[in-house]
Amino acid sequence: MRARLLLEDGTECVGTALGAAREQFGEVVFNTGMTGYQEVLSDPSYCGQIVVMTYPLIGNYGINRDDFEAVRPYIHGFVVREHCDLPSNWRRAQTLHELLAEYEIPGIAGVDTRMLTRKIREHGTLRGLITTADTPTAELVERIKQTPLLTDQVARVSTKSVFSCPGSGPRIVLIDFGAKHGILRELGKRGCDVVVVPYQTTAEEIRRLRPDGVLLSNGPGDPKDVPQAIQTIRGLLGEYPLFGICLGHQLFALASGADTEKMKFGHRGGNHPVKELASGRTYITSQNHGYAVTAESIAGTGLEITHIALNDGTVEGLCDRSKRAFSVQYHPEAAPGPYDSSYLFDQFLQLIASTKGERTYAETT
């Protein structure tokens, strides 16, 4: 079936329909990962977005049961150069097309993803839609221009109720703004007693759970769209050791008095170099974000920049030593992506242990 991708600037790409034959609007972004399309599809941070994969061949190892990063995908559309409908991996349970159709996500194959990526890099992220209809181009472009972007993505992807993943280690309250399963896996490896709570949980409700530490998860959208979370974090700062990841990093900065801004085209992929300022070491990181903390807003907040992106100099890590809190813009749970930064979970547990005067996870393994 014929499908079309249209952008707000009038660009039209014609290709083959993939997944659901329906019309869907979203913010068009690109991901530079060479593998891990299943994890990209199931990352809640892509809620409301149409993702262009820069790697040309997608679908060749299918979809399997174990590599999901959420219970379901929230992505609004998927754009690929070449789709493989005969995956060969022994674990595969579905094809990419079957997964997209199951969750009513439209996709398009056979388009020039390199051209789309260059356009987004030059002009910034663009609003667009995927459709199989023959609606006139001018009408669709006008519809795109009049359709606002989502502002409630966190509410869509966050857990609706509290649940626990029991362990014998320290109790971590994970505030779910769209948490990837990789975060739970990393905490579980370390024996943590994890309690996952919805994004709008108050500071007082978290205190009742008697946490040893608080982890702010990744998630989609503009951090300023979840002001209640900023208030919660502000109420917890200095009371418990705190670790923020991606959106959690941005919310930690806002709660501390810093500011955030929308990036031109964001960072999305598994190959982004980040420099740790204290050691001078460079880590290759997995990233997925369209907003960043503004460096000039940090003065006078008590925050210290700990990491920077080597590609563009943006802020990639913060800490407030007096409040036992730190954060990174990238994904140390790395699914998909490198494992260089998983030590940050150990660092978080060491901070908790030093607060309690206990032995650390690293000392007991």
Side-chain angles (χ1 to χ4, degrees):
M1 183 183 294
R2 177 176 178 267
R4 302 152 69 198
L5 168 67
L6 290 102
L7 305 180
E8 61 182 301
D9 68 352
T11 299
E12 180 175 5
C13 299
V14 179
T16 303
L18 184 61
R22 62 186 292 258
E23 185 172 297
Q24 183 67 285
F25 168 87
E27 181 182 40
V28 184
V29 301
F30 66 86
N31 181 290
T32 59
M34 295 178 67
T35 186
Y37 56 80
Q38 179 173 340
E39 292 91 337
V40 169
L41 282 167
S42 58
D43 183 348
S45 294
Y46 283 114
C47 179
Q49 295 180 327
I50 296 171
V51 179
V52 178
M53 297 299 293
T54 63
Y55 190 71
L57 181 60
I58 302 295
N60 52 312
Y61 53 85
I63 300 293
N64 68 76
R65 184 195 67 179
D66 299 325
D67 288 344
F68 285 96
E69 282 300 305
V71 293
R72 57 150 297 157
Y74 293 93
I75 196 170
H76 272 203
F78 206 48
V79 183
V80 303
R81 176 70 184 92
E82 182 179 345
H83 167 240
C84 174
D85 202 31
L86 294 172
S88 58
N89 189 278
W90 65 273
R91 293 195 304 155
R92 65 109 174 165
Q94 288 179 292
T95 65
L96 172 61
H97 169 76
E98 289 169 342
L99 175 76
L100 294 174
E102 178 181 352
Y103 289 99
E104 299 188 342
I105 300 167
I108 182 171
V111 301
D112 189 347
T113 53
R114 183 176 181 180
M115 176 275 292
L116 288 169
T117 300
R118 289 171 65 90
K119 180 179 286 290
I120 294 168
R121 281 185 59 88
E122 181 179 350
H123 298 289
T125 54
L126 294 163
R127 293 183 295 178
L129 64 78
I130 296 174
T131 184
T132 56
D134 292 325
T135 309
T137 299
E139 181 180 332
L140 290 175
V141 170
E142 187 60 30
R143 189 184 305 167
I144 293 169
K145 291 179 178 178
Q146 293 179 3
T147 304
L149 293 173
L150 297 180
T151 59
D152 65 343
Q153 297 101 308
V154 169
R156 294 181 181 221
V157 303
S158 177
T159 182
K160 301 302 185 283
S161 58
V162 178
F163 68 92
S164 64
C165 301
S168 59
R171 173 166 291 182
I172 308 299
V173 168
L174 172 60
I175 306 181
D176 178 16
F177 302 113
K180 291 167 65 178
H181 287 171
I183 295 176
L184 291 173
R185 285 193 292 268
E186 290 295 333
L187 294 173
K189 278 185 206 175
R190 292 160 173 82
C192 295
D193 179 26
V194 184
V195 181
V196 183
V197 301
Y199 78 99
Q200 75 274 35
T201 305
T202 66
E204 181 55 36
E205 288 169 332
I206 290 173
R207 288 188 191 101
R208 291 185 197 132
L209 296 171
R210 305 292 190 268
D212 296 308
V214 176
L215 200 157
L216 313 175
S217 85
N218 64 290
D222 185 344
K224 294 176 182 175
D225 287 338
V226 279
Q228 60 273 62
I230 297 170
Q231 288 298 116
T232 293
I233 297 165
R234 192 171 290 149
L236 297 173
L237 276 173
E239 193 168 343
Y240 306 100
L242 183 143
F243 177 27
I245 295 174
C246 198
L247 181 66
H249 159 82
Q250 297 161 14
L251 291 167
F252 166 52
L254 290 171
S256 300
D259 198 9
T260 57
E261 63 183 352
K262 187 173 175 62
M263 304 173 75
K264 185 176 181 180
F265 50 82
H267 296 165
R268 297 175 181 89
N271 55 357
H272 290 261
V274 167
K275 182 178 181 179
E276 183 181 57
L277 298 181
S279 66
R281 179 175 176 178
T282 295
Y283 294 89
I284 300 303
T285 69
S286 176
Q287 303 204 10
N288 177 14
H289 60 100
Y291 291 81
V293 178
T294 55
E296 59 272 19
S297 72
I298 291 171
T301 62
L303 296 173
E304 173 188 338
I305 297 175
T306 57
H307 300 72
I308 60 168
L310 291 181
N311 286 338
D312 59 11
T314 52
V315 176
E316 289 283 345
L318 294 168
C319 76
D320 187 330
R321 300 183 193 279
S322 68
K323 294 179 179 174
R324 299 169 296 157
F326 70 101
S327 64
V328 290
Q329 180 63 79
Y330 50 94
H331 289 266
E333 77 280 3
Y339 297 111
D340 301 35
S341 301
S342 61
Y343 75 93
L344 290 166
F345 290 95
D346 296 328
Q347 183 175 305
F348 180 41
L349 295 190
Q350 288 162 6
L351 183 60
I352 291 170
S354 65
T355 300
K356 299 176 66 178
E358 297 178 352
R359 296 176 70 199
T360 68
Y361 167 80
E363 291 171 334
T364 58
T365 56

